[in-house]
Amino acid sequence: MDVSRIRDEFPAPEFRPTQEQALADIRTAFEAGNEVVLVRAPTGSGKSLLARAVAGCAARGSQASATDPVGAYYTTPQVSQLDDVAADPLLEDLAIIRGKNNYDCILPGETDTPVDRAPCVREKGFDCQVKHRCPYFSDRAIAANRHTAAMTLAYFMQTAGSDVFGTRDIVVIDEAHGLGDWAEMYATVELGPRTVPDWESLQPGAIDDLEDAAAYARRLREACDRGLTQLRQEVELTPEAVARRDRLEELRGDLGWFVEDCENLGSPTTWVVDQPADAGGAVTIRPLNPERFLRHTVWDRGRRFALFSATILDGDAFCASVGLDPDRVALVDVPHTFPVENRPLYDVTRGKMTYDQRDETLPALARTLVRLMQHHPEQKGLVHCHSYDIQERLADHLTDFGVGTRVRRHDRDDRDAELGAWKRSDDPDVFLSVKMEEALDLRGEACRWQLLCKAPYPNTQDSRVAARLENDRWGWYYRTALRTIIQACGRIVRSPEDYGATYLGDTSLLDVFERARRTMPDWFRSQVDRMSRPDLPAFDPGAAAQERTGGHRDRRSSGERPDRVGRSGRSGSERAEDHPLSDVWGE
């Protein structure tokens, strides 16, 4: 790594405020001998450009010995972030590679077939005469030989151990704050009808502990071996058989990782096992601390690392969560350049949105949302509903109030399509979203205000969360919620000249601010300290729903598409109202 080149490797013709100093600080951190540099860079700091400058410092073939790694990886958990990189002319020298299912076969009669279902994976010994022109293998070859290969974190992890994508000099990870969570997700073993072929004959009995889970995993692994042996004897496979083979190979890999870790008495990984009574025997096995998984899939893939995020709130805690030694990690803070008055927070809280108090709070919050629609009659608004249950109930209230003509929403199957339609529309509609706190760019008139309906606490019904809280890791609990809040607040103000208001509807959000204040970035603390209660108009649904040119309809109530969103929640017997955590239950 030649970090002295970092300024020259910056791809833009000029620097935004703070970028030049950020590059100097990153250079100093690496020159001090640190192997990992955490860069806390808020929205608008141009993280991708900074990341490209760091990647450009990676050793090149002419500068390294035959055994030294060269080149760089750029990776991000967010597909949309990779799409932004692909669309940025300043980053055109990054070679982007995606998973096979993102490419179509070019053989005659197969042009609607994704590459992961093409003849080359269906037929044994298939000799593709146009492999050199295959869009997937072409992109893969380019990325393998280009100085900087760009890919999603999922693809990066899946290619660990690959002969094509081996160790490189530098690994740059954008949006790195969720690295531990992503590692937990990828290391999680889901065993049920969706993942286990022949589930009917392979269902487990009662899984009472980790030993039972490991024994069941060994039995399933043997079944996978038998199934794969049979499939590999076939000369040609149908697309369905290819899908079965892929499921077996993926399942066998997951099971092998889990069994191997359980048999390693010195492993630092703690596993938790869930088998809900109503899940038909399905089992989920999750790691609490996936450091070993990250070692293989991430940390062994490079000599130096630059991790970028706006919300790495506690450097030492982050290092502990991803298996890094803080002594070899440096932290670089990039100041926020957006005027605090352009990104105000407003307190419109109406009570707690926990499961037990939601029935009382949600109608009042819906009335407040109507008043916000009145307050912003010509501007689009975004509502972070947190869950589909809240989204559905809020939509019902708004329809009952008569303002459904100005409301849009999505379900699990059409979130991208509905989001795109809302963004393209010129109408001042309100979009009821679920889990869109990250990787959403709503600059300018795309959205001028948003409402946070619920404090985004981790679900205490999740065994990993419960295990951490049993170990008194409440600091992690509140930091996780704060991180999501900060990410959400950054969706609508995207440049120093941009502006937008964020309204807080759940009193538990204020509790997060108090309990996690120590780990707040200074620039966000200034927003919290300026928070006030707005002067909203009196409740008048007619004013909120006044007709616009072109007209808009509540798609749900008009019957344009079926309502596929079902209610979710716990029965009264499951709520355990006297439990000490009952005030944070109810996702």
Side-chain angles (χ1 to χ4, degrees), residues 69 125 146 476 518 520:
R146 191 75 64 84
W476 163 84
R518 184 185 64 82
M520 279 183 188

Side-chain angles (χ1 to χ4, degrees), residues 404-534:
T405 55
R406 202 176 152 191
V407 174
R408 294 173 181 252
R409 59 171 166 149
H410 65 90
D411 60 24
R412 292 173 176 84
D413 299 323
D414 63 8
R415 53 187 287 124
D416 291 340
E418 291 295 327
L419 174 64
W422 172 69
K423 290 172 68 175
R424 290 189 298 271
S425 172
D426 293 328
D427 293 326
D429 290 343
V430 177
F431 190 66
L432 307 184
S433 72
V434 178
K435 302 301 181 187
M436 291 189 180
E437 296 90 351
E438 296 190 36
L440 183 60
D441 186 340
L442 298 174
R443 65 186 63 212
E445 297 302 325
C447 187
R448 287 297 186 194
W449 60 278
Q450 60 183 344
L451 170 67
L452 275 62
C453 284
K454 185 181 184 302
Y457 289 121
N459 185 0
T460 55
Q461 298 299 292
D462 186 310
S463 56
R464 294 168 298 176
V465 176
R468 288 185 172 112
L469 297 185
E470 286 175 3
N471 291 324
D472 203 28
R473 292 183 58 186
W474 288 94
W476 163 84
Y477 184 74
Y478 288 106
R479 280 196 308 273
T480 301
L482 177 63
R483 187 181 73 194
T484 304
I485 295 168
I486 295 175
Q487 288 286 337
C489 289
R491 295 313 94 209
I492 64 171
V493 182
R494 309 295 296 179
S495 71
E497 297 75 30
D498 204 356
Y499 61 91
T502 297
Y503 299 92
L504 309 177
D506 179 6
T507 54
S508 294
L509 290 162
L510 309 181
D511 192 42
V512 174
F513 292 162
E514 180 180 347
R515 293 177 180 270
R517 184 177 177 83
R518 184 185 64 82
T519 58
M520 279 183 188
D522 291 343
W523 56 266
F524 188 73
R525 187 181 299 116
S526 66
Q527 283 181 259
V528 173
D529 290 345
R530 288 172 52 92
M531 183 168 54
S532 62
R533 294 193 71 89

Side-chain angles (χ1 to χ4, degrees), residues 242-505:
V242 170
R244 175 183 171 84
R245 183 196 62 193
D246 291 349
R247 286 174 64 193
L248 287 171
E249 288 178 343
E250 181 178 1
L251 178 60
R252 194 192 186 287
D254 291 344
L255 294 169
W257 167 261
F258 166 61
V259 170
E260 178 186 344
D261 195 81
C262 286
E263 293 173 348
N264 178 9
L265 298 180
S267 171
T269 309
T270 299
W271 297 88
V272 293
V273 181
D274 289 315
Q275 189 182 38
D278 59 350
V283 179
T284 303
I285 306 167
R286 299 181 175 94
L288 278 181
N289 45 343
E291 290 93 338
R292 184 164 167 260
F293 180 78
L294 282 171
R295 175 61 54 193
H296 169 61
T297 58
V298 177
W299 307 130
D300 287 345
R301 308 285 296 280
R303 297 180 64 179
R304 297 288 188 274
F305 295 83
L307 311 183
F308 288 80
S309 174
T311 50
I312 296 177
L313 302 181
D314 184 310
D316 288 344
F318 175 81
C319 289
S321 72
V322 297
L324 290 175
D325 179 359
D327 291 338
R328 64 185 186 95
V329 177
L331 180 62
V332 170
D333 273 313
V334 181
H336 207 312
T337 61
F338 297 2
V340 67
E341 57 270 19
N342 286 10
R343 43 187 171 93
L345 293 177
Y346 291 110
D347 177 1
V348 294
T349 56
R350 292 296 183 267
K352 286 183 176 289
M353 283 289 288
T354 55
Y355 185 86
D356 291 334
Q357 300 183 52
R358 192 174 301 168
D359 288 345
E360 179 180 350
T361 303
L362 209 149
L365 187 59
R367 291 175 65 89
T368 298
L369 179 53
V370 171
R371 297 171 67 193
L372 292 174
M373 294 165 68
Q374 296 170 231
H375 191 56
H376 297 272
E378 302 291 343
Q379 296 173 330
K380 291 183 179 181
L382 177 69
V383 180
H384 296 279
C385 296
H386 184 73
S387 71
Y388 284 102
D389 174 59
I390 293 175
Q391 182 205 55
E392 181 181 16
R393 294 171 64 179
L394 192 59
D396 288 344
H397 282 296
L398 295 175
T399 299
D400 291 343
F401 291 148
V403 299
T405 55
R406 202 176 152 191
V407 174
R408 294 173 181 252
R409 59 171 166 149
H410 65 90
D411 60 24
R412 292 173 176 84
D413 299 323
D414 63 8
R415 53 187 287 124
D416 291 340
E418 291 295 327
L419 174 64
W422 172 69
K423 290 172 68 175
R424 290 189 298 271
S425 172
D426 293 328
D427 293 326
D429 290 343
V430 177
F431 190 66
L432 307 184
S433 72
V434 178
K435 302 301 181 187
M436 291 189 180
E437 296 90 351
E438 296 190 36
L440 183 60
D441 186 340
L442 298 174
R443 65 186 63 212
E445 297 302 325
C447 187
R448 287 297 186 194
W449 60 278
Q450 60 183 344
L451 170 67
L452 275 62
C453 284
K454 185 181 184 302
Y457 289 121
N459 185 0
T460 55
Q461 298 299 292
D462 186 310
S463 56
R464 294 168 298 176
V465 176
R468 288 185 172 112
L469 297 185
E470 286 175 3
N471 291 324
D472 203 28
R473 292 183 58 186
W474 288 94
W476 163 84
Y477 184 74
Y478 288 106
R479 280 196 308 273
T480 301
L482 177 63
R483 187 181 73 194
T484 304
I485 295 168
I486 295 175
Q487 288 286 337
C489 289
R491 295 313 94 209
I492 64 171
V493 182
R494 309 295 296 179
S495 71
E497 297 75 30
D498 204 356
Y499 61 91
T502 297
Y503 299 92
L504 309 177

